[in-house]
Amino acid sequence: MASNNICARCLQRALSTPPRALSLPRRAFISSTSASSAAKPPSNIRRIHQAPRQRAPELQTSHSAQSGAPASPIRDRIPLPADPAQQPDKQKRVLLQPNNLFHSFTHSPAPEIRRRAAFLRQTAYCPHPDHQPHHAPHDPAHQHPNPAAATQPPAHVAHECPDCGIPVYCSPEHFADDYASHLEICDLLRQINEDDHDLLSGRFFPEFDYPGPQIDEAQVNLTNWDTLLYSREFPAINDERSMRQVTRLLTYPMTIGSVLHELSPYGLKDGLTPEGLRSLSALRYTLHPPRTGAGIDIKGLRPNPPPIRLFLLGARAESSLPREIWLQLANLFPRSTFHLILIGPESMTNRDAEFPLPPRTNSNPFGAIVEDRLGGQIKISTYVEYFHTLHEAQQFAPYDPYFDAFVLFHPGLGHPASSHEWAQTLPQLLETKVPVICTGYTDYDMRRDVEWVLKEGRGEVDMVMEPRENLFRSLRWDLNDAEPADVGCGNWGVWGFRGKRYEAREYTGKEGAVEGS
């Protein structure tokens, strides 16, 4: 070490160092001295040979000394990453890769799916014919072949199929004996398994990036999902699983928009009835107003029509949708405004932490939750109450067929467990003479609701749309936790009805000649 390149103070310290330390290489010596100097408490008094900037923390310096990396002024000024074991996760860790989405429900890496597997084992029953039927099936296709021949009591599912990873039978023996019937839905259950794990995989979802309002120069094409996403300028989706995930959410606003839009794919040859055309023409006239030359100055002031009121009765999953999803409905009609009214006792399930229920006061007698800062085109009000209670209190009266419509997503009108809840509501819906749009999980679920409405309506029902498969149904299938063999998809079918209208005609005095009043 040349004495002309080092000051007297540093030379004295080097000479006083034990011989073993002098045998260290220069880089290790500099790192050790830096660590010792960094361990001392900083002083506010500027001393000779003290750097103008404060030294790096002790953890960073010791990390460089242990790794053997050369110490440099630049490295001391750049903060080094801490130990990954001690650093908290600032970003969500990727749980699963796209090629590793299939896992057993019971041994899933996602705790949410493991809890669902435990719930399945507590609620679902083995579908083997040897077991006595525990409850009436949701679909006659799953009817017990011979209930009199069943000798064993009902048993909960406990055995998982190795191909779909979902508990479906009570034992391996029953699974092997009834394997032929399970093969009918095994591939579908495996797809559900992978889709559920995909939602919890922690990956980035580019398919959930939604476009803004639709400009007049680019008309939307409502023929099917592909043409809709293309004409609305959604990000390109080239994966079937991503397509299933995005349609699972968009099916709610797009089902409404496909029926009410002037470019609707449903016409007189595609399920729409003459009475339905009359009802929907009134709504379409309001939803597509002509340009009035409105501007921002005083000369451009024009009266604005009231918003379109959409009453979503029996709201459940649709009430917890992200508000960006409902904005897609308003983007289809850029010159109209909407007021979504979510009504039902389950409309705020699992959302108490997000929106605590307000107290019922004179100004808000039913404790409505109002969300009115959603871009200026849409407002959402939520009522945790039955519709017949609000109707009897004249909360929304009067109803106007030009501005109002009812929407019932999977209402279960004809289901034995829920039909009694709609018995009082149905006459009130028919009384309003406003169109009612309904959907169903499956074809049987939809037609069961149609039969119940026609029976309970007692001739006071006009069909707006014949029951048919929804062009904008969810492409993702859902699993019924109470009956794994019963699978369905959101808004599979769509149909509509309203109360029968009677028109008075003036009698002119001539037989067979009438004139419209």
Side-chain angles (χ1 to χ4, degrees):
M1 182 181 300
S3 60
N4 56 354
N5 293 332
I6 189 170
C7 65
R9 181 188 237 175
C10 295
L11 181 60
Q12 182 179 4
R13 176 178 295 180
L15 295 176
S16 62
T17 306
R20 186 183 56 163
L22 290 176
S23 62
L24 294 175
R26 179 178 177 83
R27 291 179 178 179
F29 172 74
I30 297 176
S31 300
S32 61
T33 55
S34 300
S36 60
S37 61
K40 296 181 180 180
S43 175
N44 297 330
I45 303 176
R46 178 83 178 272
R47 296 183 182 276
I48 301 176
H49 301 300
Q50 183 178 359
R53 293 177 178 266
Q54 187 177 358
R55 285 283 187 175
E58 180 181 0
L59 177 62
Q60 299 175 2
T61 309
S62 61
H63 176 78
S64 62
Q66 293 175 3
S67 60
S72 64
I74 298 179
R75 187 179 182 88
D76 291 341
R77 295 174 187 176
I78 299 177
L80 300 176
D83 189 3
Q86 301 177 0
Q87 184 180 12
D89 294 336
K90 295 183 179 180
Q91 297 180 355
K92 188 175 181 181
R93 181 175 60 89
V94 176
L95 183 65
L96 299 173
Q97 297 298 327
N99 58 352
N100 186 28
L101 293 177
F102 175 72
H103 293 272
S104 166
F105 263 36
T106 304
H107 305 93
S108 172
E112 295 87 349
I113 296 184
R114 293 198 299 269
R115 287 193 293 266
R116 188 178 184 185
F119 182 78
L120 274 167
R121 296 174 183 273
Q122 296 175 0
T123 57
Y125 287 87
C126 178
H128 195 275
D130 288 349
H131 291 289
Q132 299 173 356
H134 178 265
H135 59 274
H138 298 283
D139 193 334
H142 304 146
Q143 189 74 30
H144 197 287
N146 189 7
T151 57
Q152 299 181 13
H156 289 286
V157 296
H159 177 71
E160 284 185 345
C161 172
D163 296 327
C164 64
I166 297 177
V168 287
Y169 286 89
C170 64
S171 63
E173 292 76 18
H174 280 185
F175 171 72
D177 189 34
D178 202 34
Y179 184 67
S181 61
H182 175 69
L183 279 180
E184 299 176 0
I185 60 171
C186 186
D187 292 339
L188 206 57
L189 293 179
R190 183 185 179 95
Q191 184 185 103
I192 295 173
N193 185 332
E194 295 179 354
D195 290 346
D196 288 344
H197 281 93
D198 179 57
L199 285 180
L200 300 172
S201 63
R203 71 174 177 91
F204 178 70
F205 291 88
E207 60 268 26
F208 293 150
D209 185 15
Y210 305 114
Q214 186 78 3
I215 60 176
D216 294 337
E217 290 76 10
Q219 290 186 344
V220 64
N221 191 329
L222 296 171
T223 303
N224 50 47
W225 275 118
D226 293 331
T227 59
L228 170 66
L229 299 180
Y230 178 78
S231 59
R232 286 284 292 119
E233 297 184 355
F234 275 78
I237 301 176
N238 302 319
D239 186 16
E240 293 184 1
R241 178 168 292 110
S242 298
M243 190 71 170
R244 292 196 296 267
Q245 303 292 15
V246 71
T247 58
R248 181 64 179 89
L249 302 179
L250 289 177
T251 179
Y252 291 96
M254 295 309 168
T255 297
I256 302 175
S258 64
V259 176
L260 301 183
H261 203 275
E262 63 178 357
L263 301 178
S264 170
Y266 305 111
L268 293 177
K269 297 182 180 180
D270 301 293
L272 201 64
T273 63
E275 291 296 329
L277 182 61
R278 297 176 62 184
S279 295
L280 296 183
S281 296
L283 284 170
R284 292 170 183 174
Y285 176 81
T286 308
L287 287 170
H288 302 277
R291 290 190 174 274
T292 60
I296 59 175
D297 54 357
I298 296 179
K299 294 181 179 179
L301 293 179
R302 300 291 186 274
N304 294 324
I308 303 296
R309 297 192 303 178
L310 298 178
F311 300 91
L312 279 65
L313 307 188
R316 291 167 297 180
E318 57 270 22
S319 64
S320 59
L321 285 177
R323 296 321 182 212
E324 293 80 2
I325 301 296
W326 286 118
L327 285 177
Q328 293 303 307
L329 175 62
N331 291 339
L332 286 178
F333 307 91
R335 295 200 300 270
S336 300
T337 55
F338 290 88
H339 184 193
L340 299 184
I341 304 175
L342 308 174
I343 303 174
E346 301 178 10
S347 58
M348 287 297 293
T349 303
N350 299 327
R351 297 183 61 200
D352 295 337
E354 179 183 0
F355 290 105
L357 295 179
R360 302 196 175 195
T361 60
N362 294 333
S363 60
N364 191 9
F366 294 100
I369 299 175
V370 181
E371 305 170 56
D372 56 355
R373 300 182 182 181
L374 300 175
Q377 272 190 277
I378 191 171
K379 181 175 74 170
I380 299 179
S381 300
T382 306
Y383 292 83
V384 187
E385 189 59 81
Y386 285 101
F387 173 75
H388 56 77
T389 304
L390 301 172
H391 180 79
E392 293 173 356
Q394 300 293 313
Q395 179 72 11
F396 308 114
Y399 298 92
D400 192 337
Y402 280 83
F403 294 95
D404 298 334
F406 291 95
V407 182
L408 280 64
F409 291 114
H410 322 110
L413 298 173
H415 196 280
S418 58
S419 59
H420 66 281
E421 298 181 356
W422 295 100
Q424 190 174 353
T425 303
L426 179 62
Q428 298 173 351
L429 293 177
L430 301 178
E431 180 185 349
T432 62
K433 311 299 182 184
V434 172
V436 183
I437 304 172
C438 304
T439 64
Y441 284 113
T442 59
D443 181 68
Y444 173 74
D445 179 44
M446 175 179 60
R447 297 190 180 278
R448 180 178 56 188
D449 293 347
V450 174
E451 294 177 1
W452 184 87
V453 169
L454 296 177
K455 178 182 177 181
E456 297 296 327
R458 297 180 178 87
E460 296 296 326
V461 179
D462 278 338
M463 294 297 295
V464 173
M465 181 185 297
E466 297 294 336
R468 58 180 291 113
E469 184 177 354
N470 183 13
L471 296 176
F472 294 94
R473 68 175 181 87
S474 170
L475 299 181
R476 177 186 167 182
W477 294 88
D478 298 321
L479 177 68
N480 185 359
D481 292 346
E483 189 175 347
D486 181 26
V487 295
C489 64
N491 304 321
W492 183 92
V494 62
W495 62 287
F497 69 95
R498 65 166 170 80
K500 184 176 289 293
R501 299 179 64 93
Y502 296 93
E503 297 183 2
R505 293 172 178 254
E506 182 182 358
Y507 179 65
T508 61
K510 296 180 182 179
E511 242 179 271
V514 293
E515 182 181 355
S517 56

